Amino acid sequence: MSGFSRFTPLVNALPSTIPFVGPEAIERQRDVRVKARIGANESGFGPAPSVLEAIGRTAGETWMYNDPENFELREALALHHGVSRDNIAIGGGIDGLLGEIVRLVVEPGTPVVTSLGGYPTFNYHVNGHGGRLVTVPYVDDREDLEGLLEAARREDAPLVYFANPDNPMGSWWDAESIVAFARALPDRSLLILDEAYCETAPAGSTPSMDALIGQPNVLRMRTFSKAYGLAGARVGYAIGTIGNAQAFDKIRNHFGMARISTAAALAALRDQEYLRDVVGRIAAARERVAAIATENGLRPLPSATNFVAIDCGRDGTHARAIVDGLMEHGVFIRMPGAAPLNRCIRVSVGPEAEMDLFAQALPKVLSAVR
Amino acid sequence: MSGFSRFTPLVNALPSTIPFVGPEAIERQRDVRVKARIGANESGFGPAPSVLEAIGRTAGETWMYNDPENFELREALALHHGVSRDNIAIGGGIDGLLGEIVRLVVEPGTPVVTSLGGYPTFNYHVNGHGGRLVTVPYVDDREDLEGLLEAARREDAPLVYFANPDNPMGSWWDAESIVAFARALPDRSLLILDEAYCETAPAGSTPSMDALIGQPNVLRMRTFSKAYGLAGARVGYAIGTIGNAQAFDKIRNHFGMARISTAAALAALRDQEYLRDVVGRIAAARERVAAIATENGLRPLPSATNFVAIDCGRDGTHARAIVDGLMEHGVFIRMPGAAPLNRCIRVSVGPEAEMDLFAQALPKVLSAVR
């Protein structure tokens, strides 16, 4: 077991907890097989056929490092969003980019504002750099813009994390409120606006690029992991001022992107017709999940994402029993980690077969836990 | 251009230099097309056909995150090397793992020992964490084991980097010397033994696993980027004591590996017959490169890697002119960055067609620069 004797004091103080246990690990630990993989907000609808073609086409190129400047992908994203290529930084999913922006800003003791029960991987990175998390409770199952603003001011926090739409609750704010929040934040506070789920959000809930692109204290993050169906490819991007996008170049692993992944993301971006189609299927599946919840006497929360948080009416212990019970039936879901959000379970939407398995298992599990 | 006002002082002090400019960037800057991509020590022989099949098979799974524990790949590597799964940490190539181990050990001002002209990406990570590089000159175009040992002791350096075989010179030490070096190092100095090129090295130059696996101040690094032909997949691994392998879990991006990449690495590992075959082709191509150099009045250095350093007999300016001149002919190569190594150019081996292009262009370039 023995390790090297001189890891940094910060490292020695870090707990060995990780943000999420993967479904494969649960399968190994509990000796069950996942039949419905609807827990990690992946897209069971998969990427576009055109993306699978692109993967096949580029497989033979995988002996080459990827272009470290990610030129083509940044160019395509710039065109897509109506910004400059230099406004964009590419990374290994939003998770990877969050690790980088935290490293750029956080030193031991730095206060960082986020929501109580918000994205655990962000907290993991903040802890990993010795930051001090300042958490603001959700209000009515939404992240509390006023509370976050107040905390940022009070703490003079250089970093504020906010997801719109939100994970794990699926809730959202309208674009005007987000823009007002971003503009009200002190210059000394950098807003990480995590928009992982923006493709599935209702019209009017995502600020235009123009509204925030000039603001040096805003960094927006997007991903190909959710609606685009490429979670396993690990491609995300940050959009911000040129100075902010280029800051990543000082510390990122320049040859860190997988070549096939980058090609897949480029193909996915080009197939907006598929995206529109899959967003429709996600919306329909959300309604299906909500209907299943209602039929079982539970309360589905409105969702702008590819998952539905379902209020199970009691506490975290009860919700955990439902999560564990579903896994016994091969249905992998997750749940929020903090009260009062953890009265809910979180079900990712997916194709009919997965939804059917959830519909079949849920009443059995509920009657067992009652 | 304006960026956020509160990046850390360390970040603000970092230069914007990057370890390597990619061939795609050179193509864009100079408006030439690379016809022979033999500069980044990739393998133009490509991965095994069985790997391409595995990529095709797993393309449809890319909507799923990769197993964050990398269980299957670690299991296979453990079996392959005769160690425990818990001795192995997976990362985004050796580059990614180097960034992580530096973060685990280096704080601002920490002395870090490496060779003058050694792997620039390691230095990039050390600088990125504020470490102080202590460099030891090569002796006879080999990394100087005695000099590195002396520097580690003198500086009480917690981190020492050493590559065997070496990049950029292609030189190597025998296994006994490496083991003696590792055992002579103080407990307080962690040796990063970068073995990226070990698959192409002569018998007797790579220490057995047993020799070093119990030593908490040794971490060996391997990759699928070189002989296995998967540079674009970004899969590497560290082998060390359980405590050292698990230290990565405290800071790594647990969901950071691409799913197709991991499957490709697993398939590559299983196809040792292809590896043996390609290692033979690499050896033959090394001889071809050496012969081309000799025919042109240059001196090829012995190489244990998939590239050949060629002494061009003068200084860095001269070698740079040859590198630039070759690029005009579409032949992408690189060269060492520090004197006196930079009297050499570095040519990665590859298939016949690429070697032919090099053979055709070199005499033209040499007569132009003379």
Side-chain angles (χ1 to χ4, degrees):
Chain A
M1 280 299 294
S2 64
F4 180 54
S5 58
R6 291 175 79 184
F7 291 129
T8 68
L10 174 57
V11 166
N12 283 329
L14 287 177
S16 289
T17 54
I18 59 168
F20 294 105
V21 178
E24 297 85 356
I26 300 174
E27 284 183 316
R28 287 188 293 269
Q29 287 159 12
R30 295 179 50 177
D31 199 24
V32 289
R33 198 173 64 79
V34 169
K35 295 175 208 156
R37 187 169 159 130
I38 49 176
N41 302 343
E42 300 156 331
S43 178
F45 301 110
S50 63
V51 170
L52 297 179
E53 277 169 39
I55 291 173
R57 263 201 318 279
T58 49
E61 295 178 7
T62 199
W63 63 273
M64 292 184 271
Y65 290 108
N66 191 56
D67 172 16
E69 298 183 357
N70 297 296
F71 186 92
E72 260 194 289
L73 182 56
R74 286 192 300 131
E75 185 85 344
L77 286 167
L79 200 68
H80 181 72
H81 289 301
V83 299
S84 153
R85 194 176 59 239
D86 294 328
N87 292 121
I88 294 170
I90 306 289
I94 291 180
D95 284 1
L97 290 159
L98 287 176
E100 288 166 354
I101 190 64
V102 166
R103 183 175 154 199
L104 288 168
V105 174
V106 173
E107 297 181 299
T110 301
V112 176
V113 171
T114 186
S115 296
L116 179 62
Y119 191 45
T121 302
F122 177 69
N123 298 356
Y124 168 80
H125 288 308
V126 172
N127 287 329
H129 287 274
R132 179 170 58 84
L133 285 164
V134 177
T135 55
V136 176
Y138 282 60
V139 172
D140 296 335
D141 297 322
R142 286 205 296 185
E143 294 194 59
D144 178 14
L145 288 174
E146 268 186 53
L148 290 166
L149 184 58
E150 195 278 321
R153 286 178 175 149
R154 185 184 69 234
E155 302 277 348
D156 187 24
L159 208 54
V160 180
Y161 174 88
F162 174 77
N164 189 58
D166 175 70
N167 175 22
M169 302 311 281
S171 53
W172 69 99
W173 285 87
D174 60 89
E176 289 73 23
S177 302
I178 304 291
V179 171
F181 170 65
R183 295 198 176 144
L185 264 186
D187 289 350
R188 293 173 53 78
S189 294
L190 177 66
L191 170 64
I192 301 176
L193 179 56
D194 182 340
E195 302 183 310
Y197 299 95
C198 67
E199 289 87 1
T200 55
S205 57
T206 304
S208 73
M209 279 296 142
D210 284 354
L212 299 173
I213 193 70
Q215 230 177 293
N217 68 333
V218 176
L219 200 58
R220 302 172 77 163
M221 295 208 176
R222 305 282 179 101
T223 185
F224 287 92
S225 298
K226 304 302 174 187
Y228 285 107
L230 284 171
R234 311 286 52 226
V235 185
Y237 56 105
I239 314 167
T241 61
I242 294 175
N244 284 344
Q246 289 181 344
F248 289 89
D249 286 340
K250 287 188 171 186
I251 61 156
R252 72 186 177 92
N253 187 3
H254 288 260
F255 288 85
M257 296 297 295
R259 193 168 179 111
I260 290 176
S261 295
T262 312
L266 191 59
L269 186 70
R270 284 177 177 153
D271 199 337
Q272 292 294 312
E273 193 180 327
Y274 179 82
L275 182 69
R276 277 189 294 276
D277 177 63
V278 87
V279 164
R281 283 191 276 165
I282 288 169
R286 265 188 328 231
E287 290 184 26
R288 175 93 201 273
V289 172
I292 295 166
T294 308
E295 283 159 22
N296 284 276
L298 308 177
R299 189 173 69 89
L301 272 55
S303 170
T305 65
N306 72 347
F307 62 84
V308 180
I310 299 172
D311 186 341
C312 299
R314 287 165 58 183
D315 62 4
T317 308
H318 178 64
R320 170 58 56 201
I322 296 171
V323 170
D324 288 346
L326 284 168
M327 188 66 193
E328 294 297 319
H329 293 265
V331 177
F332 163 65
I333 67 164
R334 284 202 176 114
M335 61 178 284
L341 315 181
N342 66 359
R343 69 190 194 283
C344 297
I345 58 174
R346 194 195 70 178
V347 180
S348 308
V349 307
E352 281 300 306
E354 279 75 9
M355 299 296 94
D356 290 346
L357 286 168
F358 173 61
Q360 288 154 22
L362 184 62
K364 293 177 195 162
V365 170
L366 288 175
S367 70
V369 301
R370 260 162 200 157
Chain B
M1 280 297 295
S2 65
F4 179 55
S5 58
R6 291 175 79 186
F7 291 129
T8 67
L10 174 57
V11 166
N12 284 329
L14 286 178
S16 290
T17 53
I18 59 168
F20 295 106
V21 178
E24 297 85 357
I26 299 173
E27 285 182 315
R28 288 187 294 269
Q29 286 159 15
R30 296 179 50 178
D31 199 24
V32 289
R33 197 173 64 77
V34 170
K35 295 174 206 156
R37 186 169 161 130
I38 49 176
N41 302 344
E42 300 157 331
S43 178
F45 302 110
S50 63
V51 170
L52 297 179
E53 277 168 39
I55 291 173
R57 263 200 319 277
T58 49
E61 295 178 6
T62 199
W63 63 273
M64 293 185 272
Y65 289 108
N66 191 55
D67 172 16
E69 298 183 358
N70 297 296
F71 186 91
E72 258 193 292
L73 182 56
R74 286 194 299 132
E75 184 85 344
L77 286 167
L79 200 66
H80 181 72
H81 289 300
V83 299
S84 153
R85 195 175 58 236
D86 294 329
N87 291 121
I88 294 169
I90 306 289
I94 290 181
D95 284 2
L97 290 159
L98 287 176
E100 288 166 354
I101 190 65
V102 167
R103 183 175 154 198
L104 287 168
V105 174
V106 173
E107 297 182 299
T110 300
V112 176
V113 171
T114 185
S115 297
L116 179 61
Y119 191 45
T121 302
F122 177 69
N123 298 356
Y124 168 80
H125 289 308
V126 172
N127 287 327
H129 287 274
R132 178 169 59 83
L133 285 164
V134 177
T135 56
V136 177
Y138 282 61
V139 172
D140 295 335
D141 296 323
R142 286 206 296 185
E143 293 193 62
D144 178 14
L145 287 174
E146 268 186 52
L148 291 165
L149 185 59
E150 195 278 321
R153 285 178 176 150
R154 186 185 70 234
E155 300 278 349
D156 187 25
L159 208 54
V160 180
Y161 174 88
F162 174 77
N164 189 59
D166 176 69
N167 175 22
M169 302 311 281
S171 53
W172 69 101
W173 285 88
D174 60 88
E176 289 72 24
S177 302
I178 305 291
V179 171
F181 171 64
R183 293 198 177 145
L185 264 185
D187 290 351
R188 293 173 54 77
S189 293
L190 176 66
L191 170 64
I192 302 176
L193 179 56
D194 182 340
E195 302 183 310
Y197 298 96
C198 67
E199 290 87 2
T200 55
S205 58
T206 304
S208 72
M209 278 296 142
D210 285 352
L212 298 172
I213 193 70
Q215 230 177 293
N217 69 333
V218 176
L219 200 58
R220 303 172 76 164
M221 296 209 175
R222 305 282 179 99
T223 184
F224 288 91
S225 298
K226 304 303 174 188
Y228 286 107
L230 285 171
R234 310 288 52 227
V235 185
Y237 56 104
I239 313 168
T241 60
I242 295 175
N244 284 345
Q246 289 182 344
F248 289 88
D249 286 340
K250 288 188 171 185
I251 60 157
R252 72 186 176 93
N253 187 3
H254 289 261
F255 288 85
M257 297 297 295
R259 192 168 179 109
I260 290 176
S261 295
T262 313
L266 191 59
L269 186 70
R270 285 177 177 153
D271 199 337
Q272 291 294 312
E273 193 181 327
Y274 179 82
L275 181 69
R276 276 189 294 276
D277 177 64
V278 87
V279 164
R281 283 191 277 165
I282 288 169
R286 265 189 326 231
E287 290 184 25
R288 175 92 200 275
V289 172
I292 295 166
T294 307
E295 283 159 23
N296 284 275
L298 307 178
R299 189 173 69 88
L301 273 55
S303 169
T305 64
N306 71 347
F307 61 86
V308 179
I310 300 172
D311 186 341
C312 299
R314 286 165 60 184
D315 61 2
T317 308
H318 178 63
R320 169 58 57 200
I322 296 171
V323 169
D324 288 346
L326 284 168
M327 188 69 194
E328 293 298 317
H329 293 266
V331 177
F332 163 65
I333 66 163
R334 285 202 175 116
M335 61 179 283
L341 315 182
N342 65 359
R343 69 190 193 284
C344 298
I345 58 174
R346 195 194 69 180
V347 180
S348 310
V349 308
E352 283 299 308
E354 279 76 9
M355 299 297 94
D356 290 346
L357 287 168
F358 174 61
Q360 288 154 24
L362 184 61
K364 295 177 195 163
V365 171
L366 288 176
S367 70
V369 301
R370 261 162 200 159

